[in-house]
Amino acid sequence: MMLLASSVCGLFKWRQFEPEVILLAIGWYVRFSLSYRDVEELLAERGLLVDHVTVWRWVQRYAPEMERRLRSKLKPTNDSWRVDETYVRVKGKWVYLYRALDSNGDTIDFLLSARRDAAAAERFLAKASARENNHPAVRVINTDKHSGYPPAIANLQTRGDLSEKCQHRPVQYLNNILEQDHRAIKRRCRASQWFRSFWSARRTIAGYEAIHMIRQSSGSLDQRGGSAP
């Protein structure tokens, strides 16, 4: 049985089910290619009668909290970033999931955006480079040749959110590691049959990313070091 800190247990006050049950259901959903009805059936096999809509509500409420609390537990990434965006379907339309990894393949941050432009790129890079994140100051940002990145980086350097010494390398082949990494998140999104609202997509993807970061860390915590090319 999981032992939860009192501060964590407080998040589940007034819930009908114990925190351990809620976290188990969320963990199944964000980790495996399961539908909400699949999770409902798995819980029923264990004598727990939980409607699939309730499981959906749990994911929407607690997945972002899981991702937020996880960040302080991970070792810092390195200062060589790979930044790219991929497509996610929301309510029948494509939106853009910005993601950044370091050169070791560990997740730095992500952002779901309705647009793919300089403003979205700037918003994402500002979020990724925020001081409360567990990352060193970025030394080099590698992107594809999308026109939105140069003005976004220049604006952040002018504001002081990025160092003036931070280099921008628009060399697409260096992002192969990130394009491969996109597949894990997109595979999970497809299994969920995409999303019906932007709000739901953003919160659910936070859970997918949290589990993905745990998987990355389990294989690379001992290998992380300093700067990389």
Side-chain angles (χ1 to χ4, degrees), residues 183-201:
R183 295 181 181 180
I185 302 301
K186 293 192 73 173
R187 182 169 58 248
R188 191 62 198 85
C189 290
R190 283 192 296 269
S192 69
Q193 298 183 347
W194 304 109
F195 306 99
R196 296 183 180 180
S197 74
F198 191 90
W199 179 87
S200 174

Side-chain angles (χ1 to χ4, degrees), residues 35-218:
S35 69
Y36 289 111
R37 291 185 184 274
D38 290 334
V39 176
E40 177 184 347
E41 291 183 13
L42 287 171
L43 291 171
E45 289 177 359
R46 289 156 176 76
L48 300 167
L49 300 181
V50 182
D51 187 79
H52 63 278
V53 177
T54 299
V55 179
W56 177 86
R57 290 173 179 159
W58 289 346
V59 171
Q60 303 310 301
R61 169 62 181 86
Y62 296 112
E65 186 70 25
M66 288 171 54
E67 186 265 333
R68 184 184 69 82
R69 289 173 176 257
L70 170 68
R71 288 189 175 275
S72 63
K73 309 298 182 183
L74 299 175
K75 289 186 177 181
T77 54
N78 66 47
D79 59 3
S80 180
W81 291 11
R82 275 69 173 138
V83 177
D84 190 25
E85 64 284 339
T86 189
Y87 299 90
V88 175
R89 188 177 288 277
V90 174
K91 207 173 181 180
K93 297 181 179 180
W94 293 110
V95 299
Y96 305 92
L97 179 60
Y98 283 81
R99 304 182 69 239
L101 307 183
D102 71 3
S103 60
N104 289 331
D106 296 316
T107 300
I108 294 166
D109 215 332
F110 60 93
L111 176 74
L112 192 65
S113 173
R115 298 181 181 276
R116 180 178 182 245
D117 53 21
E122 182 175 341
R123 194 162 60 249
F124 171 59
L125 292 173
K127 178 176 182 282
S129 59
R131 286 186 173 84
E132 61 266 22
N133 288 341
N134 193 27
H135 311 299
V138 57
R139 173 178 57 87
V140 58
I141 299 175
N142 194 87
T143 70
D144 59 19
K145 295 185 178 181
H146 185 260
S147 61
Y149 288 111
I153 292 171
N155 288 342
L156 291 171
Q157 288 176 322
T158 300
R159 295 207 315 252
D161 293 335
L162 288 177
S163 168
E164 293 184 0
K165 296 181 180 180
C166 177
Q167 301 177 29
H168 176 216
R169 288 190 307 207
V171 183
Q172 188 165 357
Y173 79 88
L174 289 176
N175 274 1
N176 288 345
I177 187 174
L178 179 51
E179 291 173 0
Q180 293 292 326
D181 195 77
H182 284 332
R183 295 181 181 180
I185 302 301
K186 293 192 73 173
R187 182 169 58 248
R188 191 62 198 85
C189 290
R190 283 192 296 269
S192 69
Q193 298 183 347
W194 304 109
F195 306 99
R196 296 183 180 180
S197 74
F198 191 90
W199 179 87
S200 174
R202 180 169 53 83
R203 300 180 76 83
T204 306
I205 288 172
Y208 297 161
E209 293 280 4
I211 290 296
H212 193 55
M213 284 188 275
I214 291 173
R215 284 174 167 166
Q216 290 171 334
S217 297
S218 65

